[in-house]
Amino acid sequence: MTTWEQDALISPPIRPMGGPSEHPTVNQTATRRVRLGIMASGSGSNFEAIVQAIHSGQLNAEVAVLIYNNPTATVIERATRLGIPAICLDHRQFATRELLDQAIVGVLVSYQADWVVMAGWMRIVTPVLINAFPNRVLNIHPSLLPSFKGSRAIEQAFQSGVKITGCTVHHVVTEVDSGDIVMQAAVPVLDSDTLETLQARLQIQEHKIYPAAIAIAVGLGIL
Ligand code: GRF
């Protein structure tokens, strides 16, 4: 049963992938599968949701590499279990954001990534990365952008008293959390919610929309 508590409003509506679409999809336009370079800093549940969507045939892509910046991030355990090559680029080893991004671009290029997918990457990225993959860098943010940009977005929304929040997949531009929106899911804030329960329901929606948004973005791209 679908209830307001369990489900969310997702925009644009998600069609069953592989079904008829007014937009070209990766299936229709690419001769090889799109290679994703995923960047994560923490738990990596979105990373795993993307890999599972590929395994289940929902998303016709492959994950070329995972880049993580925190040597103790639990995303590495997921990558090992899922058999995805994982490269640690510890931001503390780089003097500037640009130098870190240069190293990231080097890894992405060497793994032949076509698109960059930031999935809980907790560093601000620079034009060094953005310009190396023009219009091919995506991010997921735990609010209905343009509301509640920046860090602690769930907390910002929770404390503001809004009754509906959500999550957004968007293109990455130099201004933080400001690029074109690909897909959003709206999630109600319940009177009974704590920060933790709200976050848990938000993540369920993130895991649904990120693979779908990747398929949409990639299908409309130039591949
Ligand atoms: C997600 O909530 C995402 O919106 C934010 O960071 C979190 C990452 O979670 N950018 P996970 O590491 O994918 O579990």
Side-chain angles (χ1 to χ4, degrees), residues 1-14 17 45-46 49-50 53 58 140-144 154 164-169 183-189 197-214:
M1 188 179 73
T2 298
T3 70
W4 179 232
E5 284 83 7
Q6 289 163 346
D7 219 337
L9 184 63
I10 295 177
S11 177
I14 300 178
M17 281 181 233
S45 68
N46 280 283
I50 293 164
Q58 270 189 297
I140 189 158
H141 183 75
S143 77
L144 285 180
I154 304 172
I164 295 176
T165 185
C167 47
T168 303
V169 177
M183 184 175 273
Q184 293 183 303
V187 174
V189 183
T197 59
L198 178 58
Q199 178 167 13
R201 288 206 321 289
L202 271 166
Q203 281 230 304
I204 291 168
Q205 299 308 319
E206 289 189 338
H207 301 164
K208 284 186 190 170
I209 68 166
Y210 215 170
I214 292 167

Side-chain angles (χ1 to χ4, degrees), residues 81-142:
R81 172 164 45 82
L82 295 164
I84 305 289
I87 305 287
C88 183
L89 293 174
D90 186 340
H91 59 278
R92 288 157 286 224
Q93 308 294 322
F94 297 86
T96 64
R97 291 188 195 280
E98 285 77 10
L99 285 170
L100 171 62
D101 284 359
Q102 222 169 67
I104 292 170
V105 170
V107 170
L108 292 168
V109 168
S110 73
Y111 279 86
Q112 299 180 302
D114 302 306
W115 280 74
V116 185
V117 175
M118 292 166 48
W121 180 256
M122 303 311 260
R123 313 291 307 168
I124 291 173
V125 295
T126 71
V128 171
L129 173 63
I130 295 166
N131 295 340
F133 291 87
N135 298 315
R136 289 181 177 215
V137 185
L138 298 173
N139 182 43
I140 189 158
H141 183 75

Side-chain angles (χ1 to χ4, degrees), residues 145-191:
L145 289 174
S147 295
F148 309 120
K149 296 179 178 180
S151 58
R152 297 173 173 269
I154 304 172
E155 209 172 310
Q156 288 183 53
F158 191 67
Q159 286 172 355
S160 76
V162 294
K163 296 298 180 195
I164 295 176
T165 185
C167 47
T168 303
V169 177
H170 64 94
H171 284 273
V172 174
V173 293
T174 42
E175 199 184 330
V176 172
D177 299 331
S178 298
D180 286 349
I181 290 170
V182 180
M183 184 175 273
Q184 293 183 303
V187 174
V189 183
L190 307 176
D191 290 344

